[in-house]
Amino acid sequence: MSLKVGIVGLPNVGKSTLFNAVSAAGAEAANYPFATIEPNVGVVAVPDERLDVLARLAASRRVVPTSLELVDIAGLVRGASKGEGLGNQFLSHIREVDAIVHVVRCFVDDDVVHVDGSVDPTRDIEVVETELLLKDLEAVEKRADRAARTARSGDREAAREAEVLVRLRTHLGEGEPARTYAASPDERALYRDLGLLTDKPVLYAANVGERQLAADAVPDPMVEVVRSIAAAQAAEVVVICAEAEAEIAELDPAERAEFLADLGLQRSGLDALVAAAYRLLGLVTFLTAGPKESRAWTVRSGTPAPRAAREVHSDIERGFIRAEVISFEDYARYGSEQAVRDAGRLRVEGKDYVIADGDVVHFRFNV
């Protein structure tokens, strides 16, 4: 499953610095607006300690984690919906992602210029969200007008589409994002192809200075502002320090653990960000293990076993017979697939079985 998460925000909030740390793709990080013009794309391994345990127990020669694509998109400015700055490019690139990580600057540094001259998380979030709303409003108005014209000829489907879109236009006009619009699945299908920017799930990344990152640091007022805004949207917040993440990315595992321990942290901001993005997209991980490789696979929550099998190979879905399933906890407890079988803890599941996070699966099939 190929999933894209777009990193968005105003210029100079730390998007490209974070992207460099995340993907080691070498995106240009400069102290001026629009250092990123074309979107940089990096494939990010999703950290999963379970995979390392499985690989050790199964004596796997190779370990293959699941991954996300992160897209670093050009910084947005006020008026982007009307083409200001790199607005049109920026907005078209957002349409192509599955979810958004909105990086919000929560650090003060006179050496890093702010496009509006001061650091204000509330204002900065409003600028980005307003531009996305305005662009969506423009797209919905055009489609609603076209549907209304077609409906005048007696086209009932067009009349229904126009009715839904007019209600959506009102919703957006009140400053509410498309993702909070109450619509049935059939109604959503009428405008899904518009790729509305505010219909995408959002995760806030509060980018702080290293001194604010320590586990025993006093709660930062700017971070609390971001938390409050996110809470009103039922969204998550991850506190990161992009500069620290860039340092961590260059360390070996032992040094990385020591660096985090010095800050009183158990995991990096990047690990927390990727885990939160997974939750945001409603994803689960299932695992396969053997002497050749131990591997993690990504599917959406609620995926039946045959559809999950397609991630491994389309032939397995087509010839699916059954899934032999072991919970990761049982695999780790008993130490091998054979020991799990002997303990009677291996489950045989059919086509209706829904894959759960942490399932270790062996698919049986016949083509």
Side-chain angles (χ1 to χ4, degrees):
M1 173 179 288
S2 178
L3 293 162
K4 289 186 178 181
V5 176
I7 304 176
V8 307
L10 295 178
N12 284 5
V13 297
K15 300 187 317 303
S16 294
T17 302
L18 176 63
F19 178 82
N20 287 347
V22 165
S23 67
E28 180 183 6
N31 184 22
Y32 55 88
F34 310 127
T36 303
I37 297 176
E38 291 301 320
N40 297 293
V41 180
V43 178
V44 187
V46 177
D48 193 331
E49 294 177 355
R50 298 172 301 186
L51 192 58
D52 295 326
V53 173
L54 271 186
R56 176 173 53 81
L57 294 175
S60 303
R61 294 189 293 274
R62 189 167 66 139
V63 178
V64 184
T66 189
S67 62
L68 288 174
E69 281 191 25
L70 280 186
V71 184
D72 178 27
I73 300 171
L76 177 113
V77 293
R78 200 182 304 274
S81 59
K82 303 301 180 185
E84 291 295 325
L86 299 170
N88 289 327
Q89 287 176 265
F90 171 97
L91 296 165
S92 66
H93 293 147
I94 297 177
R95 292 196 193 284
E96 299 170 5
V97 303
D98 300 292
I100 294 171
V101 171
H102 184 166
V103 180
V104 183
R105 180 169 168 176
C106 294
F107 67 90
V108 176
D109 186 339
D110 293 338
D111 293 330
V112 181
V113 297
H114 189 289
V115 69
D116 285 324
S118 63
V119 179
D120 182 339
T122 300
R123 179 202 60 211
D124 293 354
I125 290 172
E126 286 179 353
V127 168
V128 172
E129 292 187 343
T130 297
E131 295 306 322
L132 301 184
L133 273 168
L134 289 173
K135 199 65 178 179
D136 280 353
L137 192 56
E138 177 186 308
V140 170
E141 285 177 340
K142 287 181 179 178
R143 175 69 70 84
D145 289 345
R146 187 166 71 242
R149 287 195 300 271
T150 305
R152 294 190 193 107
S153 66
D155 188 318
R156 291 185 178 180
E157 187 60 29
R160 179 169 173 268
E161 180 182 355
E163 179 186 347
V164 170
L165 290 170
V166 167
R167 285 192 281 114
L168 176 56
R169 180 174 61 190
T170 300
H171 181 82
L172 294 170
E174 293 171 347
E176 298 295 331
R179 59 183 168 273
T180 64
Y181 176 59
S184 68
D186 287 345
E187 290 174 335
R188 283 191 174 275
L190 296 173
Y191 59 85
R192 184 176 296 120
D193 64 314
L194 288 177
L196 297 177
L197 308 176
T198 63
D199 208 21
K200 300 179 185 299
V202 173
L203 166 68
Y204 290 98
N207 187 17
V208 301
E210 192 169 315
R211 283 180 296 180
Q212 301 160 269
L213 190 64
D216 59 354
V218 175
D220 186 276
M222 288 190 286
V223 173
E224 295 310 305
V225 166
V226 178
R227 291 192 193 280
S228 176
I229 293 171
Q233 302 176 12
E236 278 195 67
V237 176
V238 174
V239 179
I240 61 165
C241 174
E243 289 289 347
E245 293 299 325
E247 292 180 49
I248 291 170
E250 297 177 358
L251 301 176
D252 63 37
E255 291 174 322
R256 188 175 302 140
E258 184 178 349
F259 184 99
L260 292 171
D262 288 344
L263 291 171
L265 302 175
Q266 293 185 334
R267 62 176 178 172
S268 72
L270 167 57
D271 287 355
L273 184 69
V274 172
Y278 241 56
R279 290 193 297 272
L280 182 69
L281 288 165
L283 305 177
V284 297
T285 298
F286 73 91
L287 307 153
T288 54
K292 180 180 178 181
E293 70 175 24
S294 285
R295 185 164 187 158
W297 307 85
T298 299
V299 292
R300 295 195 183 278
S301 179
T303 298
R307 173 61 187 83
R310 186 197 305 175
E311 297 299 317
V312 181
H313 199 287
S314 58
D315 284 349
I316 303 178
E317 180 187 29
R318 190 165 67 251
F320 180 91
I321 299 172
R322 65 181 182 271
E324 297 177 352
V325 182
I326 304 169
S327 72
F328 169 77
E329 290 76 15
D330 279 344
Y331 204 116
R333 176 185 175 188
Y334 292 101
S336 71
E337 180 178 328
Q338 187 58 52
V340 173
R341 288 178 182 273
D342 293 343
R345 299 292 294 175
L346 182 144
R347 308 190 315 273
V348 176
E349 305 286 1
K351 293 182 177 180
D352 295 333
Y353 177 69
V354 173
I355 293 292
D357 188 63
D359 278 348
V360 183
V361 186
H362 185 95
F363 295 108
R364 298 292 185 181
F365 69 105
N366 181 32
V367 176

